Amino acid sequence: MMIGIFENEFVRCELDDDVPVLRHRWLQEPPAEDFKFNLLRILDEYTQLKKTYTSLAWLANCELLGELDLEVEEWLVNVWEGLLFDKAGVQVHAVILGASIFADYPMERFKMDAEEKYRTKNLSLGVFSKESEAYAWIKAHQPA
């Protein structure tokens, strides 16, 4: 069952408790500070929900995210990865990318950097073009 968590002009965050996965869909390109603020809010929700759903996955739909500036790209690698994988303990992380190679590059870079940095943590990181592919992959990679 899909449960709405929050929504604003930039992002919609929902819990699919059947899987379970906390998913968010960017609705438009946010300014840098709004991007970070919303990710941190989603992270807080994830941390709380993980107490109930121990195998909770993370799904980010970035089809409408737009291009991120260099400062945000650096923040993703230098700050966000630690918050997501060390502090919150995300083990299964999927991203749905859009059609723009310029908008998708930061997400690809984030994935490659995280795979290298967290190689010993047994993370499952996937990048997809369709939600159905991401869901099938999440279900196959969640711990039993």
Side-chain angles (χ1 to χ4, degrees):
M1 179 166 101
M2 202 63 65
I3 301 166
I5 303 295
F6 75 89
E7 182 172 346
N8 58 39
E9 64 188 295
F10 300 113
V11 68
R12 177 184 307 122
C13 180
E14 304 167 311
L15 169 68
D16 184 340
D17 68 346
D18 291 333
V19 176
V21 59
L22 184 64
R23 65 186 213 171
H24 65 280
R25 177 181 184 85
W26 293 100
L27 304 173
Q28 65 173 310
E29 183 175 346
E33 289 309 310
D34 288 302
F35 176 75
K36 291 190 259 185
F37 171 82
N38 279 294
L39 276 184
L40 292 170
R41 183 172 176 192
I42 296 165
L43 186 69
D44 287 341
E45 296 291 346
Y46 179 91
T47 302
Q48 291 304 312
L49 290 166
K50 181 99 185 219
K51 294 172 185 173
T52 303
Y53 303 94
T54 55
S55 63
L56 186 63
W58 183 289
L59 173 59
N61 186 323
C62 298
E63 290 176 287
L64 302 177
L65 180 59
E67 294 183 39
L68 300 174
D69 64 32
L70 186 57
E71 183 264 328
V72 171
E73 288 182 38
E74 294 300 319
W75 180 83
L76 283 172
V77 171
N78 297 324
V79 177
W80 180 245
E81 286 179 7
L83 294 173
L84 192 66
F85 302 120
D86 291 326
K87 184 177 178 195
V90 171
Q91 290 290 302
V92 178
H93 185 283
V95 177
I96 300 169
L97 298 178
S100 168
I101 191 167
F102 299 108
D104 294 346
Y105 174 74
M107 295 299 122
E108 289 281 2
R109 179 174 171 230
F110 164 78
K111 177 186 177 285
M112 290 185 298
D113 187 76
E115 283 174 333
E116 179 66 26
K117 194 182 296 181
Y118 297 97
R119 189 178 352 189
T120 60
K121 281 197 171 245
N122 197 29
L123 300 179
S124 296
L125 304 170
V127 175
F128 306 91
S129 58
K130 295 180 183 172
E131 185 176 276
S132 59
E133 295 169 349
Y135 260 83
W137 179 86
I138 287 169
K139 289 175 184 175
H141 285 84
Q142 279 181 313

